[in-house]
């Protein structure tokens, strides 16, 4: 298993078993090595036992996810062995593929690297790299199996078609971008006119203009925001959100971070997801539309949605009780006790501190909050 | 002599002129908006045509996505600004990135207790791929970075910190200034850093180095190893997996194989 001069080791992984197609063989526990030229397997117990395949022999590879009691696997489909191949551990096989089972994980990274090496074909860069063989190690290989030829052909066809598609796609993309650029120029010229007129454009026209910008994804040249209140879409969205979020908010003590909301809403939608900016823009309109939720931004920059009925300052009072009972609490501890996310727990404690009810002990062991005795015992 | 412009008559005339000018102004804007509306419809048709031929390319080909994004940026268009935008609606490019955003948030949340909210782009990539499963579309690191840039607006502290040729992704609202960033970059090589290393590499005083390291400890982004020989070592859990699945150099390979 010595490496050739130009051959470089890329990655290795212990605990790999080799299967001949679907069947277990005696290569049950070894180190799998990937080089720029070959895939090598070496028995963990007997280092003399070593098998290798040139990467050029690989047609394509597939992943097989792990299951209950089964390790994740990589399936390696092979070309039929060439006639001048040195003798290997098997004379023939009814399979045209082997499987590599990763009993100690590492399959994801290995698959990624193997894909890269197969794509990059670095073994072709080296002249005279055709003869890959080294003294002692027998080479694994497979005698011609039937299905393999058909697979090869299909892959070749697919590759050609893909290449053709891509160049056409790039051409069409360029043309499309030229047209998009015209739209950008037009919007700039309109924006300039608006600036000149200074408010001689009606409210309705402003709304229309903003919605055109939204469709194209053009930043508003007048205000420089890519978002901002005032499009009908965001207004509708705000109303929808009020409906969707009522129950989840009640279930979570009346308050949720915006990232939680983003995940919740988009997971529920499945398709036609909201962009983060859509969500923020819609939430900014909640209060003005007199909906039962509102957007709140803490000093730290953390953004939350609260029920109108939720009063964070009141929650601070109960937080103070909890902290007093325990003597002192970190954000983690408080979060666990109350059943909140650590992010929001921290914000509540910080607010309590801001209001003078708690004070902090900031050390390398963490940030801990105590009832503010300076206040109560003066 | 008859002075021009004075008198009630002159004033009335001026007002009339102003009113006419305003009228014309509004008409001008209306014209241009109508023109934009028409051109928008045409563009939408072009985009639909493009989508019918090449929508799959965007979904399946990370290289194509990079090209697409770069071209949009060049002309001043953000295809990910809104799910209601044409790009999103017709090319489905929005759904791809917004869903990725959800997956990124979930992975970061799940690992936060371990790494304090700092994770390498590599590890994030691996974990996201794991979560997406076997049949999901291929996702590149470039895709992740674009999705993360969009997530910043949610106020959860998402940030991208360049370190040693790759990036650390921050997902908590912890304040990390230039000093912190520079120390993270220093620590990236070995996964840990000591006070003396900071002092010799960056020419800082002890106090400054200690402050930065203590801040990282407090945030849970660094762990302290006082049992190391010599200086106490400050390790970054975010860099642990990177150390384990490192590429093997030819020198190491020669030693590894008999």
């Amino acid at each position: 298993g010595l490496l050739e001069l130009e051959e470089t080791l890329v990655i290795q992984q212990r605990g790999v078993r080799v299967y001949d197609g679907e069947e277990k063989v005696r290569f049950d526990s070894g180190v799998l090595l990937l080089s720029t030229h070959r895939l090598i397997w070496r028995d963990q117990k007997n280092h003399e036992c070593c098998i290798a395949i040139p990467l050029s022999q690989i047609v394509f590879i597939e992943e097989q996810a792990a299951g209950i009691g089964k390790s994740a696997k990589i399936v390696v489909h092979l070309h039929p062995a060439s006639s001048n191949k040195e003798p290997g551990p098997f004379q023939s096989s009814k399979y045209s593929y082997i499987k590599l089972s990763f009993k100690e994980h590492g399959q994801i990274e290995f698959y990624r690297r193997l894909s890269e090496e197969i794509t990059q074909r670095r073994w072709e860069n080296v002249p005279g790299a055709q003869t890959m063989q080294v003294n002692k190690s027998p080479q694994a290989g497979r005698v011609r199996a039937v299905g393999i030829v058909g697979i090869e052909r299909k892959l070749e066809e697919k590759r050609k078609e893909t290449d053709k598609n891509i160049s056409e796609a790039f051409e069409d993309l360029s043309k499309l971008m030229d047209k998009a650029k015209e739209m950008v120029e037009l919007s700039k010229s309109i924006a300039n006119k608006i600036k000149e007129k200074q408010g001689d454009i009606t409210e309705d026209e402003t709304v229309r203009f903003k919605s055109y910008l939204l469709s194209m994804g053009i930043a508003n040249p007048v205000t420089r925001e890519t978002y901002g209140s005032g499009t009908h879409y965001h207004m509708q969205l705000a109303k929808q959100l009020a409906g969707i979020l009522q129950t989840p908010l009640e279930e979570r003590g009346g308050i949720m971070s915006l990232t939680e909301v983003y995940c919740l809403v988009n997971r529920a939608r499945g398709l036609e997801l909201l962009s983060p900016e859509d969500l923020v823009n819609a939430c900014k309109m909640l209060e003005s539309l007199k909906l039962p939720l509102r957007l709140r931004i803490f000093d730290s920059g953390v953004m939350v949605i609260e029920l109108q009925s939720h009063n964070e300052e009141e929650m601070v009072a109960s937080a103070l009780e909890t902290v007093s009972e325990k003597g002192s609490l970190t954000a983690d501890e408080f979060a666990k006790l109350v059943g909140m996310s650590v992010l929001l727990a921290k914000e509540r404690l910080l607010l309590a501190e801001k209001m003078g009810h708690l004070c902090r002990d900031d050390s390398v062991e963490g940030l801990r909050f105590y009832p503010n005795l300076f206040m109560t015992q003066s | 002599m008859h002075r021009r412009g004075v008198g009630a008559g002159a004033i009335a005339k001026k007002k009339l002129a102003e009113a006419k000018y305003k009228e014309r102004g509004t008409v001008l804007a209306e014209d241009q908006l109508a023109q934009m509306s028409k051109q928008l419809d045409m563009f939408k048709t072009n985009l639909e045509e493009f989508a019918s031929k090449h929508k799959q390319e965007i979904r399946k080909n990370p290289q194509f996505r990079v090209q697409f994004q770069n071209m949009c940026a060049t002309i001043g268009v953000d295809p990910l600004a809104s799910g209601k935008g044409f790009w999103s609606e017709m090319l489905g490019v929005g759904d791809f990135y917004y869903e990725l955003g959800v997956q990124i948030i979930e992975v970061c949340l799940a690992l936060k207790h371990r790494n304090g909210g700092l994770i390498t782009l590599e590890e994030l990539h691996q974990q996201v791929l794991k979560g997406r499963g076997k049949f999901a579309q291929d996702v590149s690191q470039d895709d992740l970075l674009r999705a993360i840039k969009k997530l910043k607006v949610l106020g959860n502290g998402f940030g991208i910190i360049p370190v040693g040729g790759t990036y650390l992704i921050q997902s908590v609202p912890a304040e990390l200034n230039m000093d912190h960033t520079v120390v993270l970059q220093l620590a990236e090589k070995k996964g840990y850093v000591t006070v003396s290393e900071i002092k010799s590499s960056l020419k800082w005083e002890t106090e400054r180095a200690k402050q930065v390291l203590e801040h990282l400890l407090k945030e849970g982004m660094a762990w302290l190893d006082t049992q190391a020989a010599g200086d106490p070592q400050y390790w970054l859990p975010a860099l642990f997996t990177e150390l384990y699945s490192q590429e093997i150099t030819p020198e190491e390979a020669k030693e590894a194989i008999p």
Side-chain angles (χ1 to χ4, degrees), chain A residues 75-93:
Chain A
V75 184
V76 184
H77 295 265
L78 302 165
H79 285 292
S82 56
S83 48
N84 61 348
K85 174 187 93 60
E86 284 182 33
F90 296 95
Q91 283 303 94
S92 69
S93 158

Side-chain angles (χ1 to χ4, degrees), chain B residues 56-70:
Chain B
Q56 285 313 305
E57 213 57 58
I58 299 241
R59 288 177 176 286
K60 289 194 176 162
N61 189 339
Q63 287 298 72
F64 194 69
R65 276 198 296 277
V66 173
Q67 260 301 83
F68 171 75
Q69 292 276 17
N70 287 340

Side-chain angles (χ1 to χ4, degrees), chain A residues 1-191:
Chain A
L2 290 171
L3 294 179
E4 294 282 286
L5 207 57
E6 303 294 345
E7 198 179 352
T8 316
L9 197 61
V10 173
I11 187 175
Q12 68 186 42
Q13 178 60 49
R14 294 166 18 128
V16 179
R17 161 183 234 135
V18 182
Y19 289 71
D20 170 23
E22 297 300 324
E23 290 169 9
K24 287 186 182 170
V25 290
R26 60 187 164 93
F27 307 117
D28 69 331
S29 183
V31 181
L32 185 66
L33 299 112
L34 171 66
S35 77
T36 47
H37 293 64
R38 291 179 294 167
L39 199 54
I40 307 167
W41 183 93
R42 189 181 71 222
D43 195 316
Q44 261 164 234
K45 294 180 218 112
N46 173 16
H47 287 216
E48 291 285 293
C49 176
C50 190
I51 58 176
I53 312 172
L55 294 183
S56 52
Q57 202 86 348
I58 299 178
V59 179
F60 73 101
I61 59 176
E62 287 181 283
E63 283 178 284
Q64 240 178 34
I68 301 178
K70 289 193 212 175
S71 312
K73 298 181 180 56
I74 296 179
V75 184
V76 184
H77 295 265
L78 302 165
H79 285 292
S82 56
S83 48
N84 61 348
K85 174 187 93 60
E86 284 182 33
F90 296 95
Q91 283 303 94
S92 69
S93 158
K94 59 177 192 260
Y95 299 98
S96 60
Y97 62 92
I98 60 169
K99 283 196 191 181
L100 304 166
S101 175
F102 288 73
K103 298 192 291 187
E104 289 180 37
H105 306 294
Q107 170 246 11
I108 295 180
E109 189 59 24
F110 205 95
Y111 181 82
R112 186 167 84 78
R113 300 292 192 155
L114 184 54
S115 294
E116 255 175 46
E117 291 305 321
I118 295 177
T119 312
Q120 287 177 12
R121 302 176 81 86
R122 289 197 270 177
W123 65 86
E124 286 175 351
N125 296 344
V126 184
Q130 298 312 316
T131 51
M132 211 56 44
Q133 259 336 288
V134 182
N135 27 357
K136 287 189 190 159
S137 50
Q139 190 180 35
R142 298 288 170 261
V143 169
R144 176 177 293 269
V146 181
I148 238 5
V149 178
I151 297 175
E152 271 182 83
R153 224 180 270 143
K154 268 207 199 113
L155 278 178
E156 195 50 47
E157 276 170 23
K158 198 171 173 199
R159 205 183 310 159
K160 281 204 191 118
E161 204 186 299
T162 310
D163 284 345
K164 193 178 84 148
N165 281 347
I166 293 190
S167 43
E168 200 190 308
F170 275 121
E171 245 184 73
D172 289 345
L173 182 64
S174 296
K175 289 192 203 132
L176 188 72
M177 286 299 164
D178 285 338
K179 299 206 176 91
K181 189 160 183 200
E182 283 171 27
M183 300 298 305
V184 176
E185 296 306 322
L186 182 56
S187 72
K188 278 190 194 149
S189 123
I190 295 181

